[in-house]
């Protein structure tokens, strides 16, 4: 696994993100469903990102990385969101080797991200502010 980029922090979850989403959607069930879909799709997205980075396919990499960044923010995985942004920035600058290195670091965060979100979803009830 690649070294963690300078200035990056430990993976963490914003516990208020899903509550905000539930409030916006006016449905805790829908917010939980979105988080469940995120978890089911995470491995596929990460594999697509790794493949695109290995192939130096900037278009495919940006497609999956932008999706991963936004969806991670939506469910509150701010560490994984930040990692995706660092990979995106390297791709945009044409730094393929750095993008792959940071992509490897991002893959390492995925297990912690998955565990944090699953743990959060096990809690009863999201606070829905109306």
């Amino acid at each position: 696994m690649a070294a963690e980029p300078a200035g990056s922090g430990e993976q963490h979850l914003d516990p208020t993100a899903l509550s905000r989403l539930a409030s916006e959607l006016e449905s805790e069930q829908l917010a939980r469903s979105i988080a469940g879909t995120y978890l089911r799709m995470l491995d596929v997205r990460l594999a697509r990102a790794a493949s695109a980075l290995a192939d130096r396919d900037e278009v495919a990499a940006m497609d999956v990385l932008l999706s991963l960044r936004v969806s991670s923010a939506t469910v509150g995985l701010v560490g994984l969101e930040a990692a995706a942004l660092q990979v995106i920035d390297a791709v945009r600058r044409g730094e393929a080797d750095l993008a792959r290195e940071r992509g490897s670091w991002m893959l390492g965060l995925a297990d912690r991200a998955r565990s944090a979100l699953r743990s959060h979803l096990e809690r009863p009830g999201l606070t829905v502010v109306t």
Side-chain angles (χ1 to χ4, degrees), residues 17-115:
L18 283 179
S19 293
R20 282 192 309 271
L21 182 61
S23 293
E24 290 170 12
L25 299 172
E26 297 180 356
S27 172
E28 177 184 340
Q29 183 179 359
L30 187 52
R32 286 180 177 276
S33 176
I34 289 169
T37 299
Y38 174 92
L39 287 170
R40 282 189 302 279
M41 294 178 64
L42 182 57
D43 288 335
V44 171
R45 283 182 173 155
L46 292 169
R48 283 181 49 217
S51 176
L53 291 169
D55 293 344
R56 296 179 183 247
D57 185 342
E58 292 179 11
V59 172
M62 290 299 284
D63 179 56
V64 68
L65 290 166
L66 290 168
S67 173
L68 182 61
R69 177 181 173 224
V70 170
S71 60
S72 295
T74 299
V75 299
L77 293 174
V78 294
L80 198 53
E81 173 196 8
L85 181 57
Q86 290 187 5
V87 180
I88 289 166
D89 288 343
V91 171
R92 283 185 177 147
R93 291 190 309 268
E95 298 175 348
D97 291 336
L98 180 60
R100 281 195 310 280
E101 178 182 320
R102 289 189 174 169
S104 294
W105 172 72
M106 183 179 67
L107 289 173
L109 288 177
D111 287 337
R112 288 182 278 172
R114 186 181 296 106
S115 294

